[in-house]
Amino acid sequence: MSGKTGFFFPQETLRELREAAEFLRRHDDILVVSHVNPDGDAIGSTLAAGWLLGRMGKSYVMANQDAVPSKFGFLPNADRIVRSAELAGRAPFRAAVFVDCADRARAGDAAGLLSPDAAILNIDHHATNDRFGTQALVMPDASATCEMLWHLIGVSGEEADASVGECIYTGILTDTGGFRYSNTSRNVMILAAELLGLGVQGHVLAERLLETMTYAQIELLKRGLQTLEFACGRRVAYVSVTLKDLQELRTDSSDLDGLVNYARNVAGVEVGLLFRQDAEDKVKVSFRSRGQVDVSRVAGAFGGGGHVRASGATVAGTLEEVRKAVLREVELALE
């Protein structure tokens, strides 16, 4: 059993949780980073790791290659997450915590802030995690990396409060699609209840993070749905967002949240895709599956990864070139 969490784990998982807590006790001046284009779990787990380090009396810096999406800016200490470019002039960090990164490259430029001999704690819930770093805490059955941070806090002996609870609830809420996806386990619901017991206002977070839409998000939805197309006998649906769309609407990464689901949710569709053109020769692809196709394998063919039902990859090429290549790979996966 994991300390004060009330959850039961295999002995190997419990050992890794304890070793992760010991890593934090052993190091100081720690960099906390997550993946580029951060989502709710990336931001929530970054803030939760920072909260725990603060409680341990550690010096730490939270950074990301990209800006914190505006929808998460209200979270406690979100304004302390700096762009990695702002740290370029300081001495390299000799210790780091990577959260929600399946591999080191997912941190983008932030990974370059470390010394060559830096000690790295890798905390992640992706099955495709390559266990990089000095020490790895990987729990593929966890709904979100934030769920793992909750257990790490329990093992550390620190008492969680509503401020860190809000960050953790955010990661779980967004990564489970509002407790609708298949990763919504019994343990997730128990954890959510414990967070509500701390004073976390779950309904307020749901309204703010899942129900409220920005103007840019509405405009992207309108434009994206106009591009909706089908392939593979309507078993695949996909939408596209061009570089021009993104520039005209001045979006941030969170404005695209949920757009891919409109493709996946069409009756009879097995795989939904979103093609987001980030540059003339670079396209971010989001993959969603109903479960028949392991889209983490498809994404992996393009250097990406993620989960069986939700994955992503950034692919070099024009929008049309990338669409053709990805659709070919998805068609093979459907056979």
Side-chain angles (χ1 to χ4, degrees):
M1 186 172 72
S2 172
K4 301 177 182 179
T5 66
F7 294 85
F8 288 86
F9 303 106
Q11 284 301 309
E12 178 66 14
T13 301
L14 184 55
R15 180 184 64 79
E16 289 188 351
L17 280 164
R18 288 171 173 161
E19 288 178 350
E22 182 55 34
F23 178 99
L24 301 182
R25 295 188 189 99
R26 194 165 59 247
H27 295 283
D28 203 2
D29 189 27
I30 300 170
L31 177 68
V32 183
V33 297
S34 187
H35 60 74
V36 298
N37 297 318
D39 56 11
D41 193 27
I43 296 299
S45 54
T46 296
L47 293 171
W51 179 93
L52 178 55
L53 288 168
R55 283 300 183 96
M56 289 179 162
K58 302 294 183 176
S59 171
Y60 66 94
V61 174
M62 300 179 291
N64 197 286
Q65 174 180 295
D66 299 308
V68 174
S70 57
K71 70 188 296 181
F72 304 117
F74 71 93
L75 289 171
N77 292 321
D79 58 342
R80 291 186 56 190
I81 301 178
V82 301
R83 300 285 293 272
S84 52
E86 298 176 35
L87 301 172
R90 66 148 283 165
F93 289 88
R94 299 193 63 188
V97 178
F98 283 62
V99 293
D100 207 34
C101 292
D103 56 67
R104 179 169 173 157
R106 283 288 285 145
D109 293 347
L113 298 171
L114 305 180
S115 64
D117 62 345
I120 296 173
L121 173 60
N122 163 15
I123 306 176
D124 185 41
H125 72 127
H126 294 94
T128 56
N129 189 286
D130 62 10
R131 300 189 73 87
F132 69 93
T134 313
Q135 196 167 315
L137 172 59
V138 180
M139 297 171 60
D141 291 335
S143 65
T145 302
C146 275
E147 180 181 340
M148 300 171 63
L149 264 295
W150 173 257
H151 299 313
L152 183 56
I153 289 169
V155 167
S156 75
E158 300 294 336
E159 292 287 347
D161 59 21
S163 65
V164 72
E166 191 172 31
C167 300
I168 289 172
Y169 195 96
T170 292
I172 294 171
L173 180 73
T174 53
D175 257 26
T176 61
F179 306 107
R180 292 180 295 119
Y181 298 161
S182 60
N183 58 347
T184 307
S185 66
R186 175 179 177 273
N187 279 350
V188 167
M189 303 309 288
I190 293 172
L191 173 49
E194 292 189 358
L195 293 171
L196 295 176
L198 282 179
V200 173
Q201 298 292 299
H203 66 288
V204 174
L205 291 175
E207 171 69 24
R208 191 161 194 167
L209 299 173
L210 303 180
E211 303 295 336
T212 303
M213 299 181 72
T214 65
Y215 172 79
Q217 199 169 6
I218 287 290
E219 286 298 313
L220 278 174
L221 176 60
K222 288 165 56 179
R223 296 188 189 194
L225 289 180
Q226 288 178 347
T227 73
L228 179 65
E229 296 188 58
F230 297 90
C232 304
R234 293 190 179 178
R235 298 174 69 195
V236 177
Y238 58 97
V239 294
S240 304
V241 175
T242 67
L243 181 60
K244 180 182 177 183
D245 293 328
L246 299 176
Q247 291 173 338
E248 287 180 352
L249 296 173
R250 299 180 181 179
T251 65
D252 68 29
S253 59
S254 66
D255 288 323
L256 287 140
D257 285 354
L259 182 54
V260 66
N261 292 331
Y262 284 89
R264 194 275 314 270
N265 290 349
V266 177
V269 168
E270 293 290 342
V271 177
L273 303 166
L274 167 63
F275 296 94
R276 185 187 80 195
Q277 185 183 33
D278 284 349
E280 293 295 341
D281 59 351
K282 184 173 70 173
V283 179
K284 169 71 187 301
V285 187
S286 297
F287 302 79
R288 296 294 184 272
S289 169
R290 290 188 184 273
Q292 178 181 332
V293 174
D294 180 352
V295 289
S296 70
R297 291 181 177 273
V298 182
F302 298 95
H307 303 285
V308 171
R309 293 173 179 259
S311 291
T314 298
V315 188
T318 66
L319 185 58
E320 187 58 31
E321 288 169 346
V322 172
R323 273 197 299 240
K324 288 181 178 178
V326 169
L327 288 171
R328 280 197 301 269
E329 199 69 29
V330 172
E331 185 174 11
L332 290 173
L334 282 166
E335 291 178 353

